[in-house]
Amino acid sequence: MPTPYGNRGGMAFGAEELRVLRRALALALHPTPASDEDVRDCLRLAESVDEAARESARLRAFLLADLDRYRAALPGTVTGYLSLLTDALEVGHKPGADDLAALRALRGNPKAAALLDRCRAVAEQGVRDRLEARQRPRVPASRARLLALPGGLSGAGQEPAKPKPATPQRPVPTPGEVFPPKRRPAQPPAPSQHLVAG
């Protein structure tokens, strides 16, 4: 099973897992019918990666909770706090105002001063990334969905075709056909008068 590797939250794969991963990549690049065994191996590997990712997220949550506790107990916990903050930065933690304030208060400590410089650089990079993200033109969600549909990109600049009204499969009957006029009963023929010869 792949496991978090070091403090950076990477994954370490065993030889068997690497074999399955190579096979899965080969199937993705050159689609061929996969055997039942290949499918089972890929599913097992996917489950293992998901579990390792969940475990990594749990460990990160515990680390950040510990960091909060050590920060609240400063300056008595300075050594543990600086060590935890270093670990948190390794797994992608973005230092906030609380971390920067704590490090400024500990500036007399050489390790704290170095960490303060590092955290300032990370925080400034985060601000720049957010500004760049805001300036990038955003594709509306509806447009993105349409472009993802088959033919969506080629028909993106065209007017959408208006739906034609549905034509009935048989002609609609007229009122006269539905309610035909009542016919008057035919008059009985008048009795013919025959002269009887006397």
Side-chain angles (χ1 to χ4, degrees):
M1 171 178 170
T3 54
Y5 181 74
N7 288 330
R8 294 184 180 275
M11 298 281 179
F13 291 97
E16 180 61 19
E17 288 158 344
L18 285 174
R19 182 193 67 76
V20 175
L21 189 58
R22 277 196 295 269
R23 179 68 181 135
L25 290 172
L27 287 169
L29 292 172
H30 307 287
T32 56
S35 68
D36 291 344
E37 184 184 356
D38 283 339
V39 172
R40 282 193 298 273
D41 288 346
C42 288
L43 289 174
R44 275 196 299 271
L45 180 62
E47 288 170 6
S48 296
V49 169
D50 288 344
E51 178 55 36
R54 286 191 291 269
E55 180 64 20
S56 180
R58 283 193 292 269
L59 290 173
R60 188 173 187 273
F62 286 136
L63 172 61
L64 295 181
D66 278 346
L67 182 64
D68 288 343
R69 282 194 292 273
Y70 274 71
R71 189 194 308 114
L74 285 171
T77 55
V78 60
T79 304
Y81 171 70
L82 296 177
S83 176
L84 284 171
L85 181 56
T86 302
D87 290 345
L89 291 171
E90 293 293 325
V91 296
H93 171 63
K94 301 289 187 284
D98 291 342
D99 291 316
L100 294 173
L103 290 172
R104 280 190 211 100
L106 300 170
R107 226 181 317 209
N109 181 310
K111 188 174 179 183
L115 265 179
L116 178 59
D117 290 341
R118 182 177 173 186
C119 286
R120 277 182 180 151
V122 171
E124 287 168 6
Q125 185 60 48
V127 171
R128 281 195 294 272
D129 290 345
R130 285 194 294 275
L131 286 173
E132 285 176 14
R134 283 183 196 156
Q135 291 169 355
R136 271 188 230 117
R138 293 185 182 179
V139 179
S142 57
R143 178 77 56 83
R145 272 190 66 221
L146 287 175
L147 293 179
L149 294 173
L153 187 59
S154 59
Q158 300 173 1
E159 285 275 329
K162 295 181 182 177
K164 295 180 181 177
T167 54
Q169 293 184 355
R170 58 182 188 155
V172 178
T174 63
E177 292 171 333
V178 177
F179 306 105
K182 292 182 181 177
R183 295 184 179 173
R184 294 180 183 171
Q187 295 281 344
S192 56
Q193 297 177 354
H194 298 286
L195 294 175
V196 180

Coordinates of all heavy atoms in Angstrom, one line a residue, residues 62-153:
F62 N -3.9 16.7 12.1 CA -3.3 16.5 13.5 C -2.1 17.5 13.6 O -1.9 18.1 14.7 CB -2.8 15.1 13.7 CG -4.0 14.2 14.0 CD1 -4.0 12.9 13.4 CD2 -5.0 14.5 14.8 CE1 -5.0 12.0 13.6 CE2 -6.1 13.6 15.0 CZ -6.1 12.4 14.4
L63 N -1.3 17.6 12.6 CA -0.1 18.4 12.7 C -0.5 19.9 12.9 O 0.1 20.6 13.7 CB 0.7 18.3 11.4 CG 1.9 19.3 11.2 CD1 2.9 19.1 12.3 CD2 2.5 19.0 9.8
L64 N -1.5 20.4 12.1 CA -1.9 21.8 12.2 C -2.6 22.0 13.6 O -2.5 23.1 14.1 CB -2.9 22.1 11.1 CG -2.2 22.1 9.7 CD1 -3.2 22.5 8.6 CD2 -1.0 23.0 9.6
A65 N -3.3 21.0 14.1 CA -3.9 21.2 15.4 C -2.8 21.3 16.5 O -2.9 22.1 17.4 CB -4.8 20.0 15.7
D66 N -1.8 20.5 16.4 CA -0.7 20.6 17.3 C 0.0 21.9 17.2 O 0.4 22.5 18.2 CB 0.4 19.5 17.1 CG 0.0 18.2 17.7 OD1 -0.9 18.2 18.6 OD2 0.6 17.1 17.4
L67 N 0.2 22.4 16.0 CA 0.8 23.7 15.7 C 0.0 24.8 16.5 O 0.6 25.7 17.1 CB 0.9 24.0 14.2 CG 1.6 25.2 13.8 CD1 3.1 25.2 14.2 CD2 1.4 25.5 12.3
D68 N -1.3 24.8 16.4 CA -2.1 25.8 17.1 C -1.9 25.7 18.6 O -1.8 26.7 19.2 CB -3.6 25.5 16.7 CG -3.9 25.9 15.3 OD1 -3.1 26.7 14.7 OD2 -5.0 25.5 14.8
R69 N -1.8 24.5 19.1 CA -1.6 24.3 20.6 C -0.3 24.9 21.0 O -0.2 25.6 22.0 CB -1.8 22.9 21.0 CG -3.3 22.4 21.1 CD -3.4 21.1 21.8 NE -2.8 20.0 21.0 CZ -3.5 19.3 20.1 NH1 -4.7 19.6 19.8 NH2 -2.9 18.3 19.4
Y70 N 0.8 24.5 20.3 CA 2.1 25.0 20.6 C 2.2 26.5 20.5 O 2.9 27.1 21.3 CB 3.2 24.3 19.8 CG 3.6 22.9 20.3 CD1 2.8 21.8 20.2 CD2 4.9 22.8 20.8 CE1 3.2 20.6 20.7 CE2 5.3 21.5 21.3 CZ 4.4 20.4 21.3 OH 4.8 19.2 21.7
R71 N 1.6 27.1 19.5 CA 1.6 28.5 19.3 C 1.0 29.2 20.4 O 1.4 30.3 20.9 CB 1.0 28.9 18.0 CG 1.2 30.4 17.6 CD 0.2 30.9 16.5 NE 0.3 30.1 15.3 CZ -0.8 29.4 14.9 NH1 -1.9 29.4 15.6 NH2 -0.7 28.7 13.8
A72 N -0.2 28.6 20.9 CA -0.9 29.3 22.0 C -0.1 29.2 23.3 O -0.3 30.1 24.2 CB -2.2 28.5 22.2
A73 N 0.8 28.2 23.4 CA 1.6 28.1 24.7 C 3.0 28.8 24.6 O 3.8 28.6 25.5 CB 1.8 26.6 25.0
L74 N 3.2 29.5 23.5 CA 4.5 30.2 23.4 C 4.6 31.3 24.6 O 3.6 31.8 25.1 CB 4.6 31.0 22.1 CG 4.9 30.1 20.9 CD1 4.8 30.8 19.6 CD2 6.3 29.4 21.0
P75 N 5.9 31.6 25.0 CA 7.2 31.2 24.5 C 7.7 29.9 25.1 O 8.8 29.5 24.7 CB 8.1 32.4 24.9 CG 7.5 32.9 26.1 CD 6.0 32.7 26.0
G76 N 7.0 29.3 26.0 CA 7.5 28.1 26.7 C 7.7 26.9 25.7 O 8.5 26.0 26.0
T77 N 7.0 26.9 24.6 CA 7.0 25.8 23.7 C 7.8 26.1 22.4 O 7.5 25.5 21.3 CB 5.6 25.3 23.3 OG1 4.9 26.5 22.8 CG2 4.9 24.8 24.6
V78 N 8.7 27.0 22.5 CA 9.4 27.6 21.3 C 10.0 26.5 20.4 O 9.9 26.5 19.2 CB 10.4 28.7 21.6 CG1 11.5 28.2 22.5 CG2 11.0 29.3 20.4
T79 N 10.7 25.5 21.0 CA 11.4 24.5 20.3 C 10.4 23.6 19.5 O 10.6 23.4 18.3 CB 12.3 23.6 21.2 OG1 13.2 24.5 21.9 CG2 13.1 22.6 20.4
G80 N 9.4 23.2 20.2 CA 8.4 22.3 19.6 C 7.6 23.1 18.5 O 7.3 22.5 17.4
Y81 N 7.3 24.4 18.8 CA 6.5 25.2 17.8 C 7.3 25.3 16.5 O 6.8 25.1 15.4 CB 6.2 26.5 18.4 CG 5.6 27.5 17.4 CD1 4.3 27.3 16.9 CD2 6.4 28.6 16.9 CE1 3.8 28.1 15.9 CE2 5.8 29.4 16.0 CZ 4.6 29.2 15.5 OH 4.1 30.1 14.5
L82 N 8.6 25.7 16.6 CA 9.4 25.9 15.4 C 9.6 24.6 14.6 O 9.5 24.6 13.4 CB 10.8 26.5 15.8 CG 10.8 27.8 16.5 CD1 12.2 28.2 16.9 CD2 10.2 28.9 15.6
S83 N 9.7 23.5 15.3 CA 9.8 22.2 14.6 C 8.5 21.9 13.9 O 8.5 21.4 12.8 CB 10.2 21.1 15.7 OG 10.2 19.9 15.0
L84 N 7.4 22.1 14.6 CA 6.1 21.8 14.0 C 5.8 22.7 12.8 O 5.2 22.3 11.8 CB 5.0 21.9 15.0 CG 4.8 20.7 16.0 CD1 3.8 21.1 17.1 CD2 4.4 19.5 15.3
L85 N 6.2 24.0 12.9 CA 5.9 24.9 11.8 C 6.8 24.5 10.6 O 6.3 24.6 9.5 CB 6.3 26.3 12.3 CG 6.1 27.4 11.3 CD1 4.6 27.4 10.7 CD2 6.4 28.8 11.8
T86 N 8.0 24.1 10.9 CA 8.8 23.6 9.7 C 8.2 22.4 9.0 O 8.1 22.4 7.8 CB 10.2 23.2 10.2 OG1 10.8 24.3 10.9 CG2 11.1 22.7 9.1
D87 N 7.7 21.4 9.8 CA 7.0 20.3 9.2 C 5.7 20.7 8.5 O 5.4 20.2 7.4 CB 6.6 19.3 10.3 CG 7.8 18.6 10.9 OD1 8.9 18.7 10.3 OD2 7.7 18.0 12.0
A88 N 5.0 21.7 9.0 CA 3.7 22.1 8.4 C 4.0 22.8 7.0 O 3.3 22.6 6.1 CB 3.0 23.1 9.3
L89 N 5.1 23.6 7.0 CA 5.5 24.2 5.7 C 5.9 23.2 4.7 O 5.6 23.4 3.5 CB 6.7 25.2 6.0 CG 6.4 26.4 6.8 CD1 7.7 27.2 7.1 CD2 5.4 27.3 6.1
E90 N 6.5 22.1 5.1 CA 6.9 21.0 4.2 C 5.7 20.4 3.5 O 5.8 19.9 2.4 CB 7.7 20.0 4.9 CG 9.1 20.4 5.4 CD 10.0 20.8 4.3 OE1 9.9 20.1 3.2 OE2 10.8 21.7 4.4
V91 N 4.5 20.3 4.2 CA 3.3 19.7 3.6 C 2.4 20.7 3.1 O 1.2 20.4 2.8 CB 2.6 18.8 4.7 CG1 3.5 17.7 5.1 CG2 2.1 19.6 5.9
G92 N 2.9 22.0 2.8 CA 2.1 22.9 2.1 C 1.3 23.9 2.9 O 0.4 24.6 2.4
H93 N 1.6 24.0 4.2 CA 0.8 24.9 5.1 C 1.2 26.4 4.7 O 2.4 26.7 4.5 CB 1.2 24.7 6.6 CG 0.7 25.7 7.5 ND1 -0.6 26.0 7.7 CD2 1.4 26.6 8.3 CE1 -0.8 26.9 8.6 NE2 0.5 27.3 9.0
K94 N 0.2 27.2 4.6 CA 0.4 28.6 4.3 C 0.3 29.4 5.6 O -0.7 29.4 6.2 CB -0.7 29.2 3.3 CG -0.8 28.4 2.0 CD 0.4 28.8 1.1 CE 0.2 28.2 -0.3 NZ 0.5 26.8 -0.4
P95 N 1.5 29.9 6.0 CA 1.5 30.6 7.3 C 0.5 31.8 7.3 O 0.5 32.6 6.4 CB 2.9 31.1 7.5 CG 3.5 31.1 6.1 CD 2.8 30.0 5.3
G96 N -0.2 31.9 8.4 CA -1.1 33.0 8.6 C -0.6 34.1 9.4 O 0.6 34.1 9.8
A97 N -1.5 35.1 9.8 CA -1.0 36.2 10.6 C -0.5 35.8 11.9 O 0.4 36.4 12.5 CB -2.2 37.2 10.7
D98 N -1.2 34.7 12.5 CA -0.8 34.2 13.8 C 0.6 33.7 13.8 O 1.4 34.0 14.7 CB -1.7 33.1 14.3 CG -3.1 33.7 14.6 OD1 -3.3 34.9 14.8 OD2 -4.1 32.8 14.7
D99 N 1.0 33.0 12.8 CA 2.3 32.4 12.7 C 3.4 33.6 12.5 O 4.4 33.5 13.2 CB 2.5 31.5 11.5 CG 1.7 30.2 11.7 OD1 1.8 29.6 12.8 OD2 1.0 29.8 10.7
L100 N 3.0 34.5 11.7 CA 4.0 35.6 11.4 C 4.2 36.4 12.7 O 5.3 36.8 13.1 CB 3.5 36.5 10.3 CG 3.5 35.8 8.9 CD1 2.8 36.7 7.9 CD2 4.9 35.5 8.5
A101 N 3.1 36.7 13.5 CA 3.2 37.4 14.7 C 4.0 36.7 15.7 O 4.9 37.2 16.4 CB 1.8 37.7 15.3
A102 N 3.8 35.4 15.8 CA 4.6 34.5 16.8 C 6.1 34.6 16.4 O 6.9 34.7 17.3 CB 4.0 33.1 16.8
L103 N 6.4 34.4 15.1 CA 7.8 34.4 14.8 C 8.5 35.8 15.0 O 9.6 35.9 15.3 CB 7.9 34.0 13.3 CG 7.6 32.6 13.0 CD1 7.5 32.3 11.5 CD2 8.6 31.6 13.6
R104 N 7.7 36.9 14.8 CA 8.3 38.2 15.1 C 8.6 38.3 16.5 O 9.6 38.9 16.9 CB 7.3 39.3 14.7 CG 7.3 39.6 13.2 CD 6.5 40.8 12.8 NE 5.9 40.7 11.5 CZ 4.6 40.4 11.3 NH1 3.8 40.2 12.3 NH2 4.2 40.3 10.1
A105 N 7.7 37.8 17.4 CA 8.0 37.8 18.8 C 9.2 37.0 19.2 O 9.9 37.3 20.2 CB 6.8 37.4 19.6
L106 N 9.5 36.0 18.4 CA 10.7 35.1 18.7 C 11.9 35.4 17.9 O 12.8 34.6 17.8 CB 10.3 33.6 18.4 CG 9.1 33.1 19.2 CD1 8.6 31.7 18.6 CD2 9.4 32.9 20.7
R107 N 12.0 36.6 17.3 CA 13.0 37.0 16.4 C 14.4 36.8 17.0 O 15.4 36.7 16.2 CB 12.8 38.4 15.9 CG 13.0 38.6 14.4 CD 12.8 40.0 14.0 NE 11.7 40.6 14.7 CZ 11.0 41.6 14.1 NH1 11.3 42.1 12.9 NH2 10.0 42.2 14.8
G108 N 14.6 36.9 18.3 CA 15.9 36.7 18.9 C 16.4 35.3 18.7 O 17.7 35.1 18.8
N109 N 15.6 34.4 18.4 CA 16.0 33.0 18.2 C 16.4 32.9 16.7 O 15.6 33.2 15.8 CB 14.8 32.0 18.5 CG 15.2 30.6 18.3 OD1 15.7 30.2 17.3 ND2 14.9 29.8 19.3
P110 N 17.7 32.4 16.4 CA 18.1 32.4 15.0 C 17.2 31.5 14.2 O 16.9 31.8 13.0 CB 19.5 31.8 15.1 CG 20.0 32.0 16.5 CD 18.7 32.0 17.4
K111 N 16.7 30.3 14.7 CA 15.9 29.5 13.9 C 14.5 30.2 13.6 O 14.0 30.1 12.5 CB 15.6 28.2 14.6 CG 14.9 27.1 13.8 CD 14.8 25.8 14.5 CE 14.1 24.8 13.6 NZ 13.9 23.5 14.3
A112 N 14.0 30.9 14.6 CA 12.8 31.6 14.4 C 12.9 32.7 13.4 O 12.1 33.0 12.5 CB 12.3 32.2 15.7
A113 N 14.1 33.4 13.4 CA 14.3 34.5 12.4 C 14.4 33.9 11.0 O 13.8 34.5 10.1 CB 15.7 35.2 12.8
A114 N 15.0 32.8 10.8 CA 15.1 32.1 9.5 C 13.7 31.7 9.1 O 13.4 31.9 7.9 CB 16.1 31.0 9.6
L115 N 13.0 31.2 10.0 CA 11.6 30.7 9.6 C 10.7 31.9 9.3 O 9.8 31.8 8.4 CB 11.0 30.0 10.8 CG 11.1 28.4 10.7 CD1 10.4 27.8 12.0 CD2 10.4 27.9 9.5
L116 N 10.9 33.1 10.0 CA 10.1 34.3 9.7 C 10.4 34.7 8.2 O 9.4 35.0 7.5 CB 10.5 35.4 10.6 CG 9.8 36.7 10.4 CD1 8.3 36.6 10.5 CD2 10.3 37.8 11.4
D117 N 11.7 34.7 7.8 CA 12.0 35.0 6.4 C 11.3 34.1 5.4 O 10.7 34.5 4.4 CB 13.5 35.0 6.2 CG 14.2 36.2 6.9 OD1 13.5 37.1 7.3 OD2 15.4 36.1 7.1
R118 N 11.3 32.8 5.8 CA 10.7 31.8 4.9 C 9.2 32.0 4.8 O 8.6 31.9 3.7 CB 11.1 30.4 5.4 CG 10.6 29.3 4.5 CD 11.0 27.9 5.1 NE 10.4 26.9 4.3 CZ 10.5 25.6 4.7 NH1 11.2 25.2 5.7 NH2 9.8 24.7 4.0
C119 N 8.6 32.2 6.0 CA 7.1 32.3 6.0 C 6.7 33.6 5.3 O 5.6 33.6 4.6 CB 6.6 32.4 7.5 SG 6.7 30.8 8.3
R120 N 7.5 34.7 5.4 CA 7.1 35.9 4.7 C 7.1 35.7 3.2 O 6.3 36.1 2.4 CB 8.1 37.0 5.0 CG 7.8 37.8 6.3 CD 8.9 38.8 6.5 NE 8.6 39.6 7.7 CZ 9.6 40.2 8.4 NH1 10.8 40.1 8.0 NH2 9.3 40.9 9.5
A121 N 8.2 34.9 2.7 CA 8.3 34.6 1.3 C 7.1 33.8 0.8 O 6.5 34.0 -0.2 CB 9.6 33.9 1.0
V122 N 6.7 32.8 1.6 CA 5.6 31.9 1.3 C 4.3 32.7 1.2 O 3.4 32.6 0.3 CB 5.4 30.8 2.3 CG1 4.1 30.0 2.0 CG2 6.6 29.8 2.1
A123 N 4.1 33.6 2.3 CA 2.9 34.5 2.3 C 2.8 35.4 1.1 O 1.7 35.6 0.5 CB 2.8 35.2 3.6
E124 N 3.9 36.0 0.8 CA 4.0 37.0 -0.4 C 3.7 36.2 -1.7 O 3.0 36.7 -2.5 CB 5.3 37.7 -0.4 CG 5.5 38.7 0.7 CD 7.0 39.2 0.7 OE1 7.8 38.8 -0.1 OE2 7.3 40.0 1.7
Q125 N 4.2 35.0 -1.8 CA 3.9 34.2 -3.0 C 2.5 33.9 -3.1 O 1.8 33.9 -4.2 CB 4.8 33.0 -3.0 CG 4.6 32.1 -4.3 CD 5.0 32.9 -5.5 OE1 6.1 33.5 -5.6 NE2 4.2 32.9 -6.6
G126 N 1.9 33.6 -1.9 CA 0.4 33.3 -1.9 C -0.4 34.5 -2.4 O -1.4 34.3 -3.1
V127 N 0.0 35.7 -1.9 CA -0.7 36.9 -2.3 C -0.6 37.1 -3.8 O -1.6 37.4 -4.5 CB -0.2 38.1 -1.6 CG1 -0.8 39.4 -2.1 CG2 -0.6 38.0 -0.1
R128 N 0.6 36.9 -4.4 CA 0.8 37.1 -5.8 C 0.0 36.1 -6.6 O -0.6 36.4 -7.6 CB 2.3 36.9 -6.2 CG 3.2 38.2 -5.9 CD 4.5 38.1 -6.5 NE 5.3 37.0 -6.0 CZ 6.1 37.2 -4.9 NH1 6.2 38.3 -4.3 NH2 6.9 36.2 -4.5
D129 N 0.0 34.8 -6.1 CA -0.8 33.8 -6.8 C -2.3 34.2 -6.9 O -3.0 34.0 -7.9 CB -0.6 32.4 -6.1 CG 0.8 31.9 -6.3 OD1 1.5 32.4 -7.2 OD2 1.2 31.0 -5.6
R130 N -2.8 34.7 -5.7 CA -4.2 35.0 -5.7 C -4.5 36.2 -6.6 O -5.5 36.2 -7.3 CB -4.6 35.4 -4.3 CG -4.8 34.2 -3.4 CD -5.5 34.5 -2.1 NE -4.7 35.4 -1.2 CZ -3.8 35.0 -0.4 NH1 -3.5 33.7 -0.3 NH2 -3.1 35.9 0.4
L131 N -3.6 37.2 -6.7 CA -3.8 38.3 -7.6 C -3.8 37.9 -9.1 O -4.6 38.3 -9.9 CB -2.7 39.4 -7.4 CG -2.9 40.2 -6.1 CD1 -1.7 41.1 -5.9 CD2 -4.1 41.1 -6.1
E132 N -2.8 37.0 -9.4 CA -2.8 36.5 -10.8 C -4.0 35.7 -11.1 O -4.5 35.8 -12.2 CB -1.5 35.6 -10.9 CG -0.2 36.4 -11.0 CD 1.0 35.5 -11.1 OE1 0.8 34.3 -11.4 OE2 2.1 36.0 -10.9
A133 N -4.5 34.9 -10.2 CA -5.7 34.1 -10.4 C -6.9 35.0 -10.7 O -7.8 34.8 -11.5 CB -6.0 33.2 -9.2
R134 N -7.0 36.2 -10.0 CA -8.1 37.1 -10.2 C -8.0 37.8 -11.6 O -9.0 38.1 -12.2 CB -8.1 38.2 -9.1 CG -8.6 37.7 -7.8 CD -8.7 38.8 -6.8 NE -8.9 38.3 -5.5 CZ -8.5 38.9 -4.4 NH1 -7.9 40.1 -4.4 NH2 -8.7 38.4 -3.2
Q135 N -6.8 38.1 -12.0 CA -6.6 38.8 -13.3 C -6.8 37.9 -14.5 O -7.0 38.3 -15.6 CB -5.2 39.4 -13.3 CG -5.0 40.6 -12.4 CD -3.6 41.0 -12.2 OE1 -2.7 40.4 -12.8 NE2 -3.4 42.1 -11.4
R136 N -6.7 36.5 -14.3 CA -6.8 35.6 -15.4 C -8.3 35.7 -15.9 O -9.2 35.6 -15.0 CB -6.5 34.2 -15.0 CG -5.0 33.9 -15.2 CD -4.8 32.4 -15.0 NE -3.6 32.3 -14.1 CZ -3.7 31.7 -12.9 NH1 -4.8 31.2 -12.4 NH2 -2.6 31.7 -12.1
P137 N -8.5 35.7 -17.2 CA -9.9 35.7 -17.7 C -10.6 34.3 -17.3 O -10.0 33.3 -17.5 CB -9.8 35.8 -19.2 CG -8.4 35.4 -19.5 CD -7.6 35.8 -18.3
R138 N -11.8 34.4 -16.8 CA -12.4 33.2 -16.4 C -13.5 32.8 -17.4 O -14.2 33.6 -18.0 CB -13.2 33.4 -15.0 CG -12.3 33.7 -13.9 CD -13.0 33.7 -12.6 NE -12.2 34.0 -11.5 CZ -12.6 34.1 -10.2 NH1 -13.9 34.0 -10.0 NH2 -11.8 34.4 -9.2
V139 N -13.5 31.6 -17.7 CA -14.5 31.0 -18.7 C -15.7 30.7 -17.9 O -15.7 30.0 -16.9 CB -14.0 29.7 -19.4 CG1 -15.0 29.2 -20.3 CG2 -12.7 30.0 -20.1
P140 N -16.9 31.3 -18.3 CA -18.1 31.0 -17.5 C -18.3 29.5 -17.5 O -18.0 28.8 -18.4 CB -19.2 31.7 -18.3 CG -18.5 32.7 -19.2 CD -17.1 32.2 -19.4
A141 N -18.9 29.1 -16.4 CA -19.2 27.6 -16.2 C -20.0 27.1 -17.3 O -19.8 26.0 -17.8 CB -19.8 27.4 -14.9
S142 N -21.0 27.9 -17.8 CA -21.9 27.4 -18.8 C -21.1 27.2 -20.1 O -21.3 26.2 -20.8 CB -23.1 28.3 -19.0 OG -22.6 29.6 -19.3
R143 N -20.2 28.2 -20.4 CA -19.4 28.1 -21.7 C -18.5 26.9 -21.6 O -18.2 26.2 -22.5 CB -18.6 29.4 -21.8 CG -17.7 29.4 -23.0 CD -18.5 29.7 -24.3 NE -19.3 30.8 -24.3 CZ -18.8 32.1 -24.6 NH1 -17.6 32.3 -24.8 NH2 -19.7 33.1 -24.6
A144 N -17.9 26.7 -20.4 CA -16.9 25.6 -20.2 C -17.6 24.3 -20.5 O -17.1 23.3 -21.1 CB -16.3 25.6 -18.8
R145 N -18.9 24.1 -20.0 CA -19.6 22.9 -20.2 C -19.9 22.7 -21.6 O -19.8 21.6 -22.2 CB -20.9 23.0 -19.4 CG -20.8 22.5 -18.0 CD -22.2 22.3 -17.3 NE -22.9 21.3 -18.0 CZ -24.2 21.3 -18.2 NH1 -24.9 22.4 -18.0 NH2 -24.9 20.3 -18.8
L146 N -20.3 23.8 -22.4 CA -20.6 23.6 -23.8 C -19.3 23.2 -24.6 O -19.4 22.4 -25.5 CB -21.2 24.9 -24.3 CG -22.6 25.2 -23.9 CD1 -23.0 26.6 -24.4 CD2 -23.6 24.2 -24.4
L147 N -18.2 23.8 -24.2 CA -17.0 23.5 -25.0 C -16.5 22.1 -24.7 O -15.9 21.5 -25.5 CB -15.8 24.4 -24.5 CG -16.0 25.9 -24.9 CD1 -14.9 26.7 -24.5 CD2 -16.2 26.1 -26.4
A148 N -16.9 21.5 -23.6 CA -16.6 20.1 -23.3 C -17.4 19.1 -24.0 O -17.1 18.0 -24.1 CB -16.7 19.9 -21.8
L149 N -18.6 19.6 -24.5 CA -19.5 18.7 -25.3 C -18.9 18.4 -26.7 O -18.3 19.3 -27.2 CB -20.9 19.3 -25.3 CG -21.6 19.4 -24.0 CD1 -22.9 20.2 -24.2 CD2 -21.9 18.1 -23.4
P150 N -19.2 17.3 -27.3 CA -18.8 17.0 -28.6 C -19.3 18.1 -29.6 O -20.5 18.4 -29.5 CB -19.4 15.7 -29.0 CG -19.6 15.0 -27.6 CD -19.9 16.2 -26.7
G151 N -18.4 18.7 -30.4 CA -18.9 19.8 -31.3 C -19.0 21.1 -30.7 O -19.3 22.1 -31.3
G152 N -18.8 21.2 -29.3 CA -19.0 22.5 -28.7 C -18.0 23.5 -29.1 O -18.3 24.7 -29.2
L153 N -16.7 23.1 -29.3 CA -15.7 24.1 -29.7 C -15.9 24.6 -31.1 O -15.8 25.7 -31.3 CB -14.3 23.4 -29.5 CG -13.1 24.3 -29.7 CD1 -13.1 25.4 -28.7 CD2 -11.8 23.5 -29.6

